[in-house]
Short mmCIF file of all heavy atoms in Angstrom, two decimals:
data_model
loop_
_atom_site.label_atom_id
_atom_site.label_comp_id
_atom_site.label_asym_id
_atom_site.label_seq_id
_atom_site.Cartn_x
_atom_site.Cartn_y
_atom_site.Cartn_z
N GLY P 146 -46.16 0.80 30.66
CA GLY P 146 -46.67 1.26 29.42
C GLY P 146 -48.19 1.65 29.55
O GLY P 146 -48.74 2.31 28.70
N TYR P 147 -48.85 1.34 30.74
CA TYR P 147 -50.27 1.66 30.90
C TYR P 147 -50.46 2.78 31.88
O TYR P 147 -51.62 3.09 32.17
CB TYR P 147 -50.96 0.37 31.34
CG TYR P 147 -50.90 -0.75 30.39
CD1 TYR P 147 -49.85 -1.67 30.39
CD2 TYR P 147 -51.88 -0.95 29.39
CE1 TYR P 147 -49.69 -2.72 29.53
CE2 TYR P 147 -51.74 -2.04 28.43
CZ TYR P 147 -50.72 -2.94 28.59
OH TYR P 147 -50.53 -3.95 27.59
N GLY P 148 -49.39 3.19 32.45
CA GLY P 148 -49.47 4.31 33.55
C GLY P 148 -49.75 5.64 33.09
O GLY P 148 -48.74 6.55 33.13
N SER P 149 -50.86 6.00 32.69
CA SER P 149 -51.17 7.39 32.29
C SER P 149 -52.39 7.88 33.17
O SER P 149 -53.14 7.09 33.79
CB SER P 149 -51.68 7.44 30.82
OG SER P 149 -52.81 6.71 30.65
N GLU P 150 -52.62 9.21 33.16
CA GLU P 150 -53.73 9.72 33.81
C GLU P 150 -54.94 9.28 33.46
O GLU P 150 -55.95 8.95 34.31
CB GLU P 150 -53.68 11.26 33.79
CG GLU P 150 -54.76 12.02 34.61
CD GLU P 150 -54.78 13.57 34.50
OE1 GLU P 150 -54.02 14.00 33.56
OE2 GLU P 150 -55.56 14.15 35.09
N GLU P 151 -55.11 9.07 32.14
CA GLU P 151 -56.43 8.60 31.63
C GLU P 151 -56.71 7.18 32.05
O GLU P 151 -57.90 6.89 32.47
CB GLU P 151 -56.31 8.64 30.11
CG GLU P 151 -57.59 8.17 29.30
CD GLU P 151 -57.42 8.31 27.89
OE1 GLU P 151 -56.43 8.73 27.34
OE2 GLU P 151 -58.44 7.94 27.19
N ASN P 152 -55.72 6.32 32.11
CA ASN P 152 -55.90 4.99 32.46
C ASN P 152 -56.22 4.82 34.07
O ASN P 152 -56.97 4.08 34.39
CB ASN P 152 -54.72 4.05 32.10
CG ASN P 152 -54.70 3.82 30.62
OD1 ASN P 152 -55.72 3.99 29.97
ND2 ASN P 152 -53.48 3.40 30.07
N TYR P 153 -55.46 5.63 34.82
CA TYR P 153 -55.76 5.64 36.24
C TYR P 153 -57.05 6.13 36.64
O TYR P 153 -57.80 5.61 37.42
CB TYR P 153 -54.71 6.55 37.02
CG TYR P 153 -53.30 5.99 37.14
CD1 TYR P 153 -52.19 6.71 36.82
CD2 TYR P 153 -53.15 4.70 37.52
CE1 TYR P 153 -50.86 6.30 36.92
CE2 TYR P 153 -51.82 4.20 37.64
CZ TYR P 153 -50.70 4.91 37.37
OH TYR P 153 -49.47 4.39 37.49
N THR P 154 -57.60 7.18 35.82
CA THR P 154 -58.84 7.64 35.94
C THR P 154 -59.97 6.56 35.61
O THR P 154 -60.96 6.46 36.28
CB THR P 154 -59.17 8.96 35.21
OG1 THR P 154 -58.09 9.89 35.54
CG2 THR P 154 -60.52 9.51 35.40
N LEU P 155 -59.75 5.86 34.55
CA LEU P 155 -60.63 4.84 34.05
C LEU P 155 -60.74 3.75 35.10
O LEU P 155 -61.75 3.31 35.44
CB LEU P 155 -60.11 4.31 32.71
CG LEU P 155 -60.70 3.07 32.10
CD1 LEU P 155 -62.16 3.43 31.64
CD2 LEU P 155 -59.95 2.45 31.06
N LEU P 156 -59.61 3.28 35.63
CA LEU P 156 -59.60 2.17 36.64
C LEU P 156 -60.17 2.63 37.92
O LEU P 156 -60.99 1.88 38.56
CB LEU P 156 -58.16 1.80 36.93
CG LEU P 156 -57.50 1.01 35.65
CD1 LEU P 156 -56.08 0.92 35.82
CD2 LEU P 156 -58.04 -0.34 35.36
N GLU P 157 -60.04 3.87 38.30
CA GLU P 157 -60.69 4.42 39.50
C GLU P 157 -62.18 4.40 39.32
O GLU P 157 -62.92 4.03 40.20
CB GLU P 157 -60.21 5.84 39.89
CG GLU P 157 -58.88 5.82 40.45
CD GLU P 157 -58.40 7.23 40.72
OE1 GLU P 157 -59.09 8.22 40.29
OE2 GLU P 157 -57.46 7.46 41.54
N GLY P 158 -62.64 4.82 38.08
CA GLY P 158 -64.12 4.95 37.89
C GLY P 158 -64.86 3.57 37.87
O GLY P 158 -65.95 3.45 38.25
N LYS P 159 -64.05 2.39 37.46
CA LYS P 159 -64.53 1.12 37.48
C LYS P 159 -64.27 0.41 38.83
O LYS P 159 -64.50 -0.85 38.85
CB LYS P 159 -63.99 0.44 36.34
CG LYS P 159 -64.39 0.89 34.87
CD LYS P 159 -63.76 0.07 33.72
CE LYS P 159 -64.24 0.70 32.40
NZ LYS P 159 -65.64 0.61 32.21
N ASN P 160 -63.62 1.07 39.84
CA ASN P 160 -63.32 0.42 41.07
C ASN P 160 -62.38 -0.79 40.91
O ASN P 160 -62.61 -1.88 41.58
CB ASN P 160 -64.66 -0.05 41.87
CG ASN P 160 -65.41 1.20 42.16
OD1 ASN P 160 -64.96 2.22 42.63
ND2 ASN P 160 -66.77 1.09 42.03
N VAL P 161 -61.38 -0.66 40.11
CA VAL P 161 -60.42 -1.66 39.87
C VAL P 161 -59.25 -1.35 40.63
O VAL P 161 -58.69 -0.21 40.49
CB VAL P 161 -60.08 -1.83 38.35
CG1 VAL P 161 -59.00 -2.90 38.17
CG2 VAL P 161 -61.36 -2.17 37.53
N THR P 162 -58.78 -2.23 41.46
CA THR P 162 -57.43 -2.00 42.14
C THR P 162 -56.36 -2.12 41.18
O THR P 162 -56.12 -3.18 40.64
CB THR P 162 -57.32 -3.08 43.37
OG1 THR P 162 -58.50 -3.01 44.15
CG2 THR P 162 -56.07 -2.78 44.11
N ALA P 163 -55.66 -1.00 40.92
CA ALA P 163 -54.70 -0.95 39.87
C ALA P 163 -53.25 -0.93 40.33
O ALA P 163 -52.77 -0.04 41.01
CB ALA P 163 -54.83 0.33 39.14
N TYR P 164 -52.59 -2.08 40.16
CA TYR P 164 -51.12 -2.30 40.34
C TYR P 164 -50.41 -1.96 39.15
O TYR P 164 -49.88 -2.79 38.42
CB TYR P 164 -50.79 -3.72 40.91
CG TYR P 164 -51.42 -4.05 42.23
CD1 TYR P 164 -52.65 -4.63 42.26
CD2 TYR P 164 -50.87 -3.60 43.48
CE1 TYR P 164 -53.28 -4.92 43.52
CE2 TYR P 164 -51.36 -3.99 44.64
CZ TYR P 164 -52.65 -4.64 44.71
OH TYR P 164 -53.21 -4.93 45.91
N VAL P 165 -50.49 -0.72 38.76
CA VAL P 165 -49.99 -0.24 37.41
C VAL P 165 -48.85 0.79 37.70
O VAL P 165 -49.09 1.83 38.37
CB VAL P 165 -51.08 0.40 36.60
CG1 VAL P 165 -50.54 0.89 35.31
CG2 VAL P 165 -52.21 -0.63 36.40
N LYS P 166 -47.73 0.55 37.10
CA LYS P 166 -46.55 1.47 37.30
C LYS P 166 -46.89 2.71 36.36
O LYS P 166 -47.41 2.62 35.45
CB LYS P 166 -45.28 0.90 36.90
CG LYS P 166 -44.80 -0.31 37.75
CD LYS P 166 -43.51 -0.90 37.24
CE LYS P 166 -43.13 -2.21 37.93
NZ LYS P 166 -41.87 -2.78 37.42
N TYR P 167 -46.15 3.78 36.87
CA TYR P 167 -46.02 5.00 35.86
C TYR P 167 -44.68 5.02 35.29
O TYR P 167 -43.75 4.27 35.73
CB TYR P 167 -46.47 6.32 36.60
CG TYR P 167 -45.78 6.47 37.94
CD1 TYR P 167 -44.53 7.06 38.04
CD2 TYR P 167 -46.30 6.02 39.18
CE1 TYR P 167 -43.86 7.23 39.27
CE2 TYR P 167 -45.75 6.16 40.41
CZ TYR P 167 -44.33 6.79 40.38
OH TYR P 167 -43.88 6.83 41.56
N SER P 168 -44.38 6.00 34.36
CA SER P 168 -43.28 5.92 33.55
C SER P 168 -41.87 5.99 34.41
O SER P 168 -40.98 5.30 34.11
CB SER P 168 -43.23 7.00 32.57
OG SER P 168 -43.36 8.29 33.23
N LEU P 169 -41.92 6.71 35.47
CA LEU P 169 -40.70 6.88 36.24
C LEU P 169 -40.62 6.14 37.57
O LEU P 169 -39.78 6.31 38.32
CB LEU P 169 -40.43 8.40 36.60
CG LEU P 169 -40.19 9.28 35.27
CD1 LEU P 169 -39.98 10.75 35.75
CD2 LEU P 169 -38.91 8.87 34.62
N PHE P 170 -41.59 5.22 37.69
CA PHE P 170 -41.51 4.37 39.00
C PHE P 170 -40.33 3.73 39.28
O PHE P 170 -39.80 3.93 40.32
CB PHE P 170 -42.73 3.44 38.93
CG PHE P 170 -42.84 2.53 40.14
CD1 PHE P 170 -43.33 2.99 41.32
CD2 PHE P 170 -42.34 1.30 40.15
CE1 PHE P 170 -43.50 2.23 42.51
CE2 PHE P 170 -42.33 0.45 41.33
CZ PHE P 170 -42.88 0.90 42.43
N ASP P 171 -39.82 2.94 38.31
CA ASP P 171 -38.51 2.22 38.55
C ASP P 171 -37.36 3.13 38.77
O ASP P 171 -36.43 2.84 39.57
CB ASP P 171 -38.35 1.23 37.32
CG ASP P 171 -39.32 0.07 37.29
OD1 ASP P 171 -39.61 -0.30 38.51
OD2 ASP P 171 -39.65 -0.39 36.34
N LYS P 172 -37.26 4.22 38.04
CA LYS P 172 -36.15 5.11 38.05
C LYS P 172 -36.13 5.82 39.49
O LYS P 172 -35.04 5.96 40.06
CB LYS P 172 -36.14 6.15 37.00
CG LYS P 172 -35.78 5.52 35.68
CD LYS P 172 -35.59 6.68 34.63
CE LYS P 172 -35.17 6.04 33.31
NZ LYS P 172 -35.11 7.17 32.23
N ARG P 173 -37.38 6.05 40.00
CA ARG P 173 -37.43 6.74 41.27
C ARG P 173 -36.95 5.93 42.43
O ARG P 173 -36.70 6.31 43.51
CB ARG P 173 -38.74 7.29 41.55
CG ARG P 173 -39.12 8.52 40.66
CD ARG P 173 -40.54 9.11 41.00
NE ARG P 173 -40.79 10.28 40.33
CZ ARG P 173 -42.01 10.92 40.29
NH1 ARG P 173 -42.90 10.55 41.17
NH2 ARG P 173 -42.18 12.03 39.62
N GLN P 174 -36.98 4.52 42.20
CA GLN P 174 -36.37 3.69 43.22
C GLN P 174 -34.80 3.55 43.23
O GLN P 174 -34.33 2.92 44.21
CB GLN P 174 -36.98 2.23 43.02
CG GLN P 174 -38.55 2.21 42.69
CD GLN P 174 -39.39 3.01 43.56
OE1 GLN P 174 -39.26 3.07 44.82
NE2 GLN P 174 -40.20 3.81 42.94
N ASN P 175 -34.34 4.11 42.18
CA ASN P 175 -32.83 4.02 42.04
C ASN P 175 -32.23 5.31 42.62
O ASN P 175 -32.48 6.42 42.38
CB ASN P 175 -32.58 4.03 40.45
CG ASN P 175 -31.09 3.70 40.26
OD1 ASN P 175 -30.11 4.20 40.97
ND2 ASN P 175 -30.86 2.96 39.19
N ARG P 176 -31.23 5.09 43.66
CA ARG P 176 -30.57 6.25 44.28
C ARG P 176 -29.76 7.02 43.24
O ARG P 176 -29.70 8.28 43.50
CB ARG P 176 -29.73 5.63 45.38
CG ARG P 176 -30.46 5.01 46.61
CD ARG P 176 -29.56 4.50 47.59
NE ARG P 176 -30.31 3.95 48.71
CZ ARG P 176 -29.70 3.39 49.92
NH1 ARG P 176 -28.40 3.37 49.95
NH2 ARG P 176 -30.42 2.95 50.85
N ALA P 177 -29.03 6.43 42.42
CA ALA P 177 -28.18 7.04 41.44
C ALA P 177 -29.06 8.02 40.65
O ALA P 177 -28.61 9.23 40.30
CB ALA P 177 -27.49 6.08 40.49
N TYR P 178 -30.34 7.63 40.21
CA TYR P 178 -31.10 8.48 39.42
C TYR P 178 -31.55 9.77 40.29
O TYR P 178 -31.58 10.83 39.87
CB TYR P 178 -32.40 7.80 38.92
CG TYR P 178 -33.41 8.59 38.16
CD1 TYR P 178 -33.24 9.02 36.91
CD2 TYR P 178 -34.47 9.17 38.93
CE1 TYR P 178 -34.09 9.89 36.19
CE2 TYR P 178 -35.36 9.99 38.27
CZ TYR P 178 -35.23 10.31 36.95
OH TYR P 178 -36.14 11.11 36.37
N ASN P 179 -31.83 9.40 41.53
CA ASN P 179 -32.27 10.62 42.42
C ASN P 179 -31.25 11.65 42.67
O ASN P 179 -31.41 12.80 42.89
CB ASN P 179 -32.86 9.96 43.78
CG ASN P 179 -34.16 9.30 43.58
OD1 ASN P 179 -34.91 9.66 42.72
ND2 ASN P 179 -34.43 8.20 44.36
N LYS P 180 -29.97 11.08 42.73
CA LYS P 180 -28.76 11.99 42.96
C LYS P 180 -28.52 12.87 41.76
O LYS P 180 -28.19 13.99 41.85
CB LYS P 180 -27.53 11.16 43.21
CG LYS P 180 -27.61 10.67 44.59
CD LYS P 180 -26.26 9.77 44.92
CE LYS P 180 -26.21 9.27 46.30
NZ LYS P 180 -25.03 8.43 46.58
N LYS P 181 -28.89 12.26 40.61
CA LYS P 181 -28.70 13.13 39.28
C LYS P 181 -29.70 14.16 39.12
O LYS P 181 -29.47 15.18 38.43
CB LYS P 181 -28.62 12.09 38.11
CG LYS P 181 -27.46 11.28 38.01
CD LYS P 181 -27.56 10.40 36.72
CE LYS P 181 -26.27 9.55 36.62
NZ LYS P 181 -26.47 8.62 35.42
N HIS P 182 -30.83 14.03 39.81
CA HIS P 182 -31.97 14.92 39.55
C HIS P 182 -32.38 15.50 41.03
O HIS P 182 -33.58 15.13 41.37
CB HIS P 182 -33.05 14.32 38.86
CG HIS P 182 -32.71 13.75 37.54
ND1 HIS P 182 -32.19 12.56 37.27
CD2 HIS P 182 -32.80 14.41 36.23
CE1 HIS P 182 -31.87 12.30 36.06
NE2 HIS P 182 -32.34 13.35 35.44
N PRO P 183 -31.57 16.25 41.72
CA PRO P 183 -31.93 16.63 43.09
C PRO P 183 -33.00 17.74 43.06
O PRO P 183 -33.64 18.00 44.10
CB PRO P 183 -30.64 17.03 43.63
CG PRO P 183 -29.77 17.43 42.47
CD PRO P 183 -30.21 16.60 41.34
#
């Protein structure tokens, strides 16, 4: 929910190590999803 360009840029500017997912991170780990969108 926090994985946007604006937030990543903000965290980079403040030198915060960001373990923040982006919207499709979990889906891209799924083989079935990758097969549906080759």
